[in-house]
Amino acid sequence: MLCLTLSHKTIDADLKEFWNNRPYIGLAELRIDCLDNLESDEIKDKIISFPSIVDVPVILTCRRKSDGGQFTMSEKKRLSIIKKCSEGAFSYVDIEEDSHWNEFEKELSNRGIEIIKSIHDFNGIPDNLFLKMNRMATKGFIPKVAVKVNGVKDLIFLFSAQEKLKDIKKKIIIGMGDYGVPVRILYKKIGCFTTFCSDNEVAPGMLSPRSLSELYRADRVNAQTHIFGIIGNPVMHTISPNIHNPGFHGIRFNAIYVPFLVDSVRYFFRLAEMLQIHGFSVTIPFKRDVIPYLGRNTREVTQICSCNTVIRERGMWKGINTDYYGFLSPIIPEFDNDKIKTALVIGAGGAARSIVWALRNHNCNVTILNRTLEHAKSLANETMSNYDILDNAYKYSGLSDIVVQTTSVGMEPNYLEDPVPSLNFSGKEIVYDLVYKPNLTKFLSRANEKKCKIVYGIDMLIAQGKLQFEAFSGYHYPPNVNPNF
Ligand code: ATR
């Protein structure tokens, strides 16, 4: 079940967030350290009555500044406020591991209130973490750790709790920061009974209840759930979870697709073995780096030296490049009608590689224009294409059957930028922009005004995503599901 962390300055604001998120959660944490005028009797009374107003169990927490909270007064004061507020019908009280409030803890236990013993570390994973959790559990507490995850190696450690701490039935492990996001989403795979979420990022990497519940369906994960994901750096902006998760749900496939921020491909493959990951997408900067770890590749991966999809096939990792076919998908009928014989490609980076090869494999005469001539030259030599510097773009106006824009220029928030303002369109060419945010870029809008046939970046993105989906699940993307952006 998901736990909503409430950290507003007033109880009214907390209640508003609570009811907004009620459909997604089964537990709430009232962070009283964030409330204004905490010392006033009026506020204390409101805190005491809070659990009887809401219809889920509530955790009472008063977090110190040093543990990421707002409370700055003395420990004596903190104990007295928690003691008073715990008169309410709270189900749990959070007490830090180093606060030895034995008498109060005994009193809470006698009243049937469970104690969550918490450890926080905003820098990394402290020594002997599992040992400490075991000790806390032995004393009858629910151990909770919230630690900063600094890389995939740390993720491997936290996920090892699934096996190493399997005897602790009620525990909470939170991975803070972007590297820790998979721990938040896959909390049930580690054997945790809850994970924390909020509409405001109360702690680094925290997700909203709606996204955890509706997009990831994190609370429905069980031992049989197949794990898929995407690796990249950065990766949190990716919209691929919004393609695959609704698709899995649409075909009733017990699977989840999770973003993994990765600092080491080698460690990620270790993690993938450990979690029995069934397949994953690969984005910048790892499309080439994953190749040495693959047992098999499709022809395109070998030719392009770029792999954006990895699947587990007969105990082996297999690499696929769906960028290649995703790019071709919206324009295949034009090739069939022999309408594309010459192409102008803007950019010579990773995305351009798949595109130039796809065009060359369809007997297209390609010219690559790039800001840095050396990069254009190197890709052109490899693919037997022509090349020129981007500043000469005006010379190529109206000379190609298709113009493909592969750079990130024109992407939000810089949607007013045009990568090749000097290139004019004749109206006869197909104009394709890989940028998908905004849908109609400045570049495409110019082509549209000249009545060119235009192809949106989102078409390629969805086409490559649907091909990935087929590789992952063995099924077509459900036609009644709209990728949820
Ligand atoms: P990707 O994998 O998304 O293609 P990349 O490998 O970093 O990303 O390539 C980015 C491409 O966009 C390159 O061709 C880059 O030109 P350079 O080779 O000169 O770096 C091009 N690019 C990026 N910013 C640009 C800009 N402001 N103007 C023109 N081209 C740009």
Side-chain angles (χ1 to χ4, degrees):
M1 91 189 118
L2 303 178
C3 179
L4 175 66
T5 298
L6 296 164
S7 58
H8 292 280
K9 290 183 172 174
T10 65
I11 289 285
D12 288 348
D14 282 333
L15 280 170
K16 192 166 170 220
E17 187 179 348
F18 175 84
W19 292 116
N20 282 344
N21 287 295
R22 179 62 190 91
Y24 315 122
I25 58 158
L27 189 65
E29 178 191 38
L30 187 62
R31 281 278 304 274
I32 62 170
D33 53 291
C34 302
L35 291 167
D36 279 343
N37 306 320
L38 185 52
E39 285 188 277
S40 84
D41 287 341
E42 192 196 335
I43 297 295
K44 283 187 201 130
D45 287 345
K46 280 190 172 184
I47 295 171
I48 290 169
S49 56
F50 185 89
S52 49
I53 300 173
V54 298
D55 57 351
V56 298
V58 185
I59 304 170
L60 175 68
T61 302
C62 185
R63 189 75 70 227
R64 298 177 296 213
K65 194 105 187 161
S66 56
D67 289 315
Q70 303 288 327
F71 194 87
T72 47
M73 289 176 270
S74 70
E75 279 298 89
K76 201 170 156 204
K77 192 97 203 160
R78 198 163 71 98
L79 176 59
S80 98
I81 291 174
I82 297 182
K83 251 187 188 169
K84 177 70 192 160
C85 295
S86 70
E87 285 172 16
F90 289 94
S91 304
Y92 306 90
V93 175
D94 182 309
I95 299 176
E96 291 75 7
E97 188 226 12
D98 57 356
S99 299
H100 303 287
W101 296 338
N102 297 354
E103 259 176 50
F104 175 52
E105 289 167 6
K106 227 180 265 167
E107 185 197 317
L108 289 173
S109 298
N110 290 342
R111 288 167 47 207
I113 299 175
E114 290 190 79
I115 296 166
I116 297 174
K117 271 278 172 186
S118 57
I119 296 178
H120 299 85
D121 196 320
F122 286 82
N123 294 316
I125 299 179
D127 291 342
N128 303 320
L129 187 68
F130 289 172
L131 192 74
K132 287 177 184 162
M133 288 180 75
N134 262 320
R135 259 192 227 136
M136 297 192 275
T138 314
K139 290 182 185 160
F141 302 127
I142 299 172
K144 173 193 166 183
V145 297
V147 293
K148 173 82 187 298
V149 179
N150 288 315
V152 179
K153 209 173 164 187
D154 287 350
L155 265 191
I156 293 175
F157 174 77
L158 291 184
F159 274 108
S160 74
Q162 181 182 13
E163 187 51 38
K164 290 186 185 148
L165 300 181
K166 64 174 183 287
D167 294 335
I168 307 179
K169 293 291 168 249
K170 237 175 169 179
K171 58 182 173 288
I172 304 168
I173 299 175
I174 304 290
M176 288 193 288
D178 286 349
Y179 283 107
V181 164
V183 177
R184 293 186 184 271
I185 299 174
L186 296 170
Y187 72 99
K188 288 187 103 179
K189 281 280 180 191
I190 310 190
C192 293
F193 91 104
T194 190
T195 193
F196 293 80
C197 49
S198 167
D199 285 342
N200 327 299
E201 201 186 31
V202 181
M206 204 180 243
L207 290 116
S208 76
R210 184 171 182 182
S211 122
L212 271 176
S213 171
E214 283 197 339
L215 177 62
Y216 293 105
R217 304 169 69 78
D219 33 352
R220 293 173 186 84
V221 167
N222 57 28
Q224 285 74 42
T225 304
H226 293 63
I227 303 175
F228 294 88
I230 176 163
I231 67 166
N233 194 339
V235 78
M236 288 309 152
H237 64 284
T238 177
I239 59 170
S240 295
N242 304 58
I243 298 178
H244 295 289
N245 286 309
F248 291 152
H249 183 48
I251 62 165
R252 300 285 178 268
F253 180 33
N254 183 0
I256 185 169
Y257 182 96
V258 178
F260 289 92
L261 179 65
V262 161
D263 56 342
S264 151
V265 169
R266 185 160 67 98
Y267 278 120
F268 179 75
F269 273 93
R270 265 201 220 169
L271 180 70
E273 290 299 339
M274 181 178 173
L275 293 178
Q276 289 289 296
I277 289 178
H278 279 70
F280 55 94
S281 314
V282 183
T283 188
I284 294 165
F286 301 125
K287 289 186 183 184
R288 192 186 275 259
D289 299 357
V290 294
I291 296 175
Y293 297 90
L294 307 174
R296 295 178 59 204
N297 285 316
T298 57
R299 186 175 60 92
E300 294 78 38
V301 171
T302 311
Q303 184 185 49
I304 306 167
C305 254
S306 171
C307 166
N308 78 325
T309 312
V310 176
I311 54 168
R312 189 191 285 278
E313 199 177 74
R314 281 179 257 128
M316 212 185 259
W317 294 112
K318 181 183 172 186
I320 302 172
N321 186 320
T322 70
D323 287 336
Y324 180 98
Y325 290 106
F327 164 70
L328 288 173
S329 168
I331 52 171
I332 276 294
E334 317 291 340
F335 280 113
D336 293 345
N337 295 332
D338 252 5
K339 282 199 183 144
I340 305 181
K341 294 204 175 99
T342 54
L344 189 65
V345 174
I346 318 295
R353 284 186 69 75
S354 301
I355 275 94
V356 173
W357 274 113
L359 291 164
R360 293 293 296 129
N361 287 348
H362 284 76
N363 296 323
C364 208
N365 189 336
V366 177
T367 301
I368 302 164
L369 296 182
N370 196 46
R371 180 179 60 179
T372 310
L373 192 64
E374 271 311 300
H375 298 162
K377 184 179 175 188
S378 145
L379 182 58
N381 287 345
E382 197 185 319
T383 55
M384 287 163 292
S385 306
N386 312 302
Y387 65 94
D388 203 343
I389 190 97
L390 194 61
D391 289 343
N392 286 341
Y394 66 94
K395 293 185 184 167
Y396 296 85
S397 297
L399 297 185
S400 316
D401 299 325
I402 185 167
V403 181
V404 188
Q405 198 299 106
T406 73
T407 76
S408 54
V409 180
M411 193 179 345
E412 274 175 10
N414 304 318
Y415 58 88
L416 292 178
E417 288 179 5
D418 185 331
V420 269
S422 70
L423 180 74
N424 290 317
F425 302 112
S426 70
K428 294 198 183 102
E429 60 274 72
I430 300 168
V431 180
Y432 199 145
D433 196 341
L434 264 51
V435 169
Y436 59 86
K437 257 185 193 169
N439 209 15
L440 185 69
T441 56
K442 176 123 194 259
F443 174 74
L444 276 189
S445 136
R446 273 205 301 122
N448 202 27
E449 279 165 19
K450 286 285 163 82
K451 307 267 183 291
C452 296
K453 180 181 163 60
I454 59 172
V455 184
Y456 299 103
I458 195 79
D459 295 340
M460 170 174 168
L461 186 79
I462 291 180
Q464 69 79 24
K466 287 183 174 176
L467 290 166
Q468 267 184 349
F469 185 85
E470 284 175 24
F472 289 155
S473 69
Y475 287 89
H476 287 307
Y477 197 82
N480 54 338
V481 172
N482 251 336
N484 165 15
F485 299 135

